[in-house]
Amino acid sequence: MIRERDVKQRFSKKSRYLFGWYSCTWGTALMVALPVLSVFYLALFPKENIWGHLAETVLPVYITTTLALMLGVGALSIATGVCGAWLVTMCRFPGRRIFEWALLLPFAVPAYVIAYVYTDLLEYSGAVQIFLRELFGWQTARDYWFPDIRTLGGAILMLAMVLYPYIYLLARASFLEQSTTIHDASRTLGCTPWQSFYRVSLPIARPAIAVGLSLVSMETINDFGTVDYFAVKSMSAGIYDTWLNMSNLGGAAQIASMMMIFVVILISLERLARTKQRQFHSSDRFKTLTGYRLSGWRAWGATLLCGLPVVTGFVIPVWILAGYALSNLDQLWTSNFITHASHSFLLSSCAALLTIVVALLLAYSKRLHKTQSLKIAAQFSSLGYAMPGAVLAIGVIIPLAAFDNFIDALMEEFFNLSTGLLLSGTAFAVVFAYVVRFLAVSVGSVESSLNKITESMDMASRSLGHSPLQTLTKVHLPLIKGGILTAALVVFVDCMKELPATLILRPFNYDTLATYVYQYASDEMLEACSLAALLIVLVGIIPVILLSRTISATRESN
Amino acid sequence: MRKPFKQQIKKLAFIALPLTIAANSASAADEVNIYSYRQQFLIQPMLDAFTADTGIKTNVVFAKKGLIERLEHEGKNSPADIVLTSDIGPLYDVVEKGLTQPVESEILTGNIPAHYRDPANQWFGLTSRTRLIYASKDRVAEGEIKSYEELADPKWKGRICTRSGKHSYNLSLIGSMIAHHGEAEAEQWLEGVKANLARKPQGNDRAQVKAVKEGVCDIALGNSYYFGKMITNEKQPEQKEWANAVNLVFPNQDDRGAHMSISGAALTKYAPNKESAVKLMEFLSEAQAQSMYAEANFEFPVRPGTPRSELLNKYMGDFKQDSINLQKVAELRAQAARMADKVGFDN
């Protein structure tokens, strides 16, 4: 009898424990998915059906432009990111040590800022064309041809310039982790260095590159600042047009939902293709890479190839911003700046910390209990990344305001006390939006780090008497520190740059560096906000450099 | 081992709590809370003057989209008192959604002419501007173009620059064309303008004047205050050159007058600081704020008899203004947007 009760108790304890994990995981996933669900909900109630009108008029343009944009930015980012990662990891040439981290620098430059800067530089009254006119004696724009920066091509170039670091980052981490033996084996089997890159290393790095590419694609599809400024009619232009000019938020939500489903299909297809691949690491993966020593034109070619994205994506914009900032420094430097910067810093840090906690919860519970349900929960919670920021902001407002008003009504009824809005219009709302928006970044990173730890470690730890939580803190966390840090820093920088959701959700009199820049830049007054723009970039550099060091350390510490 | 987690959470609470409290305290007494579609730096001088005058503090959130939706979902607990806009579009939307309340104020109705306010006093225009034709001094003779209608004349083929047809300023203009000429004629006109464009619509109004100076096109559409901003620009003196390259054409002086648009304000339905909010709206319609607007942003005061800035007098004397009620224009905006799609204005 006693035994039976024991078993029963144990059983109920286990099921309670399982229930705990499930409810905790799903609860978190649902909370994070609430804004996305709200947008779906909006899509159910459009003011009128816009699809007929769109299909007849602008939809084909929106679709082809968006596809061209995604393809162009994707291809250019892969070329730059993979090429850079391979060169700095596997080759030795002048400047390699600098490029290791410098190639990440453009990541700190917001796309809208780089678009403003290059328009300023390359348009008719910009420095480049003035120089050319003086050189050749041309008088007006009709005397010569100069490529127009405000075009689809220009937008592709601008976006690729600042988005390729996603791919660089992940490809480099993958190249660094690849076993040298595989590489050596391919060489002894007669592969040239090029073949061994193309036939061995690249396929192994494919999952990492694919993750990077999906981040790049989602950023591209959701970009509004650049495409709007360049008059490129992409889907996101269509969303805002339907929402603001036709006053049809439901219709806009429909376009946004459709775009999101499209992105989700793309990602699932890629995941499906990847499940067939399994990777193994041999024990000597930390053997120092010797690398190919490049010489002569090859060496300088490599330097040039790595230098180009750094100069165009970072040095030139920073140079121009610094020029403006220095010449107006006395007017620009006010105490407000410290406030704006501290707001940016606080919000971004909170969001980075929270996304890590949530990502850990989701990834770890998925590892502990390999059920379909928990897998779906993790994927579900990452949807926010595939949604344009401003639309997502509305999605954030809906549940938060509903919650606030519910509590208020409750308190009013029972205590005759009005609590007002507790969460809406506070910094919490902004941080919540950041978490929803960027959780995908940290879930991806944490999950892939966790997956690299063999399960025998878990078993050993558990058989030595550790609880799952202790196993996580004592075994897993120290091992995936690098991945966690990467995730935290990427989210931090992304939040620093985030604009539309911050604008809509922030409290009264509450500016961040990004919103401050936008105020002026949207009126084409770059000189008035140069210092703030520069500050965003500079604050973004710090984590970028830290990040790069951590990644290099994964190999070089041995 | 649980310590780090606890510490993290404590830290988080430590950071988040004061933020929340600080944000909530924005709804204390003697304050006005503003959801603004106008950039803060543009309205701050007037708001500062109001605070200096009355001791009432103002709080602002600026965004170019989404604030109406925020107001809508916050419902009766929303802290917002006033919605400030840079165009009739959002003003019309916020009223349509039933998020405003009428203001019965003799000061407001006395200061603001009837065609610049809602028939039911739900919204009020605070400044006005006209959509000008900027014509090249070198390549367009005086009197060669006199009306919006003439923009569709084939003689301008490849010579016109404008910003996106979907921008609210152009939508208002298209809306007024529909109001005056009916849909079919307006569409024909828009097609004609599209056919005359020198390049794909891009950039803001200032960029169009620059394009005239650069020789990309000969005439451009732009709001009047941009001229003032350019001709007085000490920080970027090249903008003075852009402004000096064009003549200002006030369209349709022989018939209905130039198309006007407004920036304006509406009182929210549940405004918690209603009294102060109405005070602010009244303040913005009075002579001092009206001339400040005009001085700082080169807009036209809506209040008749307000002295205009010297600069406006110098370059833009009295001209005939279209006195169609903007409510009508606003109603036609969605239709105008569809029309722009239909003729592929931006493609």
Side-chain angles (χ1 to χ4, degrees), chain A residues 478-542:
Chain A
L479 281 171
I480 60 169
K481 220 170 49 194
I484 289 183
L485 200 65
T486 308
L489 294 173
V490 174
V491 172
F492 179 86
V493 175
D494 270 335
C495 292
M496 288 282 296
K497 299 185 288 184
E498 206 285 336
L499 187 61
T502 320
L503 273 174
I504 296 173
L505 297 170
R506 71 209 154 112
F508 286 103
N509 308 327
Y510 194 93
D511 267 312
T512 66
L513 290 172
T515 62
Y516 183 81
V517 168
Y518 176 72
Q519 243 201 88
Y520 290 96
S522 63
D523 213 12
E524 304 195 9
M525 294 165 71
L526 193 61
E527 71 286 353
C529 61
S530 49
L531 192 62
L534 198 61
L535 223 54
I536 296 181
V537 176
L538 295 182
V539 176
I541 290 180
I542 303 161

Side-chain angles (χ1 to χ4, degrees), chain B residues 15-60:
Chain B
I15 295 166
L17 212 66
L19 282 179
T20 319
I21 293 165
N24 271 353
S25 64
S27 49
D30 260 3
E31 292 186 312
V32 182
N33 297 324
I34 302 164
Y35 281 178
S36 174
Y37 282 74
R38 297 206 82 177
Q39 283 118 310
Q40 197 164 354
F41 70 89
L42 283 178
I43 51 171
Q44 201 57 50
M46 276 69 83
L47 298 181
D48 287 344
F50 174 69
T51 307
D53 216 43
T54 59
I56 300 171
K57 204 180 149 219
T58 58
N59 305 306
V60 182

Side-chain angles (χ1 to χ4, degrees), chain A residues 123-124 241 243 506 509, chain B residues 59 62 69 166 210 214:
Chain A
E123 66 189 356
Y124 181 83
D241 183 48
W243 171 12
R506 71 209 154 112
N509 308 327
Chain B
N59 305 306
F62 151 73
E69 285 76 9
K166 291 304 198 58
K210 185 163 79 175
E214 290 163 2

Side-chain angles (χ1 to χ4, degrees), chain A residues 230-392:
Chain A
F230 281 11
V232 172
K233 296 290 158 194
S234 72
M235 288 301 268
S236 63
I239 291 179
Y240 292 115
D241 183 48
T242 308
W243 171 12
L244 301 167
N245 293 331
M246 303 191 196
S247 309
N248 188 350
L249 182 60
Q254 286 180 341
I255 307 179
S257 306
M258 195 196 73
M259 256 165 62
M260 206 176 73
I261 291 165
F262 172 72
V263 172
V264 168
I265 290 173
L266 269 187
I267 294 169
S268 326
L269 279 180
E270 195 282 324
R271 283 204 176 184
L272 207 67
R274 219 192 317 154
T275 46
K276 289 178 193 137
Q277 286 192 331
R278 289 218 62 176
Q279 291 182 54
F280 300 95
H281 292 298
S282 72
S283 53
D284 71 338
R285 62 186 262 228
F286 291 121
K287 200 177 97 184
T288 312
L289 281 169
T290 42
Y292 305 112
R293 197 162 292 282
L294 301 181
S295 59
W297 69 268
R298 283 198 175 83
W300 292 111
T303 308
L304 191 72
L305 222 55
C306 289
L308 198 65
V310 180
V311 171
T312 52
F314 184 79
V315 178
I316 292 177
V318 166
W319 182 266
I320 290 176
L321 288 176
Y324 276 134
L326 284 178
S327 59
N328 301 305
L329 195 60
D330 45 330
Q331 295 156 24
L332 293 178
W333 182 255
T334 59
S335 58
N336 276 345
F337 261 108
I338 298 158
T339 320
H340 301 335
S342 67
H343 288 163
S344 290
F345 196 82
L346 255 178
L347 293 176
S348 308
S349 330
C350 282
L353 198 67
L354 269 175
T355 46
I356 295 304
V357 174
V358 175
L360 265 176
L361 173 75
L362 293 175
Y364 194 56
S365 85
K366 192 173 135 187
R367 183 183 177 90
L368 284 178
H369 314 286
K370 292 188 182 44
T371 62
Q372 199 62 31
S373 152
L374 290 181
K375 238 188 229 174
I376 294 171
Q379 280 172 10
F380 197 53
S381 59
S382 302
L383 286 178
Y385 201 65
M387 184 77 78
V391 179
L392 189 72

Side-chain angles (χ1 to χ4, degrees), chain B residues 37-39 64 84-88 90 129 168-169 225 261-264 299:
Chain B
Y37 282 74
R38 297 206 82 177
Q39 283 118 310
K64 285 198 172 172
L84 267 186
T85 74
S86 56
D87 193 50
I88 182 73
R129 35 320 241 299
S168 60
Y169 298 157
Y225 52 83
S261 59
I262 52 156
S263 75
E299 291 172 274

Side-chain angles (χ1 to χ4, degrees), chain A residues 420-442:
Chain A
L421 300 177
L422 294 171
L423 303 175
S424 324
T426 65
F428 173 85
V430 183
V431 172
F432 180 51
Y434 288 170
V435 172
V436 174
R437 179 103 172 83
F438 298 118
L439 188 61
V441 176
S442 54

Side-chain angles (χ1 to χ4, degrees), chain A residues 416-483:
Chain A
N416 204 13
L417 183 90
S418 173
T419 53
L421 300 177
L422 294 171
L423 303 175
S424 324
T426 65
F428 173 85
V430 183
V431 172
F432 180 51
Y434 288 170
V435 172
V436 174
R437 179 103 172 83
F438 298 118
L439 188 61
V441 176
S442 54
V443 166
S445 179
V446 168
E447 231 182 299
S448 67
S449 308
L450 264 184
N451 286 345
K452 282 175 201 148
I453 301 172
T454 70
E455 306 227 339
S456 48
M457 291 261 214
D458 301 43
M459 292 172 203
S461 162
R462 295 296 295 279
S463 64
L464 287 170
H466 285 321
S467 71
L469 201 63
Q470 283 171 324
T471 308
L472 176 67
T473 49
K474 284 196 169 168
V475 179
H476 290 121
L477 282 187
L479 281 171
I480 60 169
K481 220 170 49 194

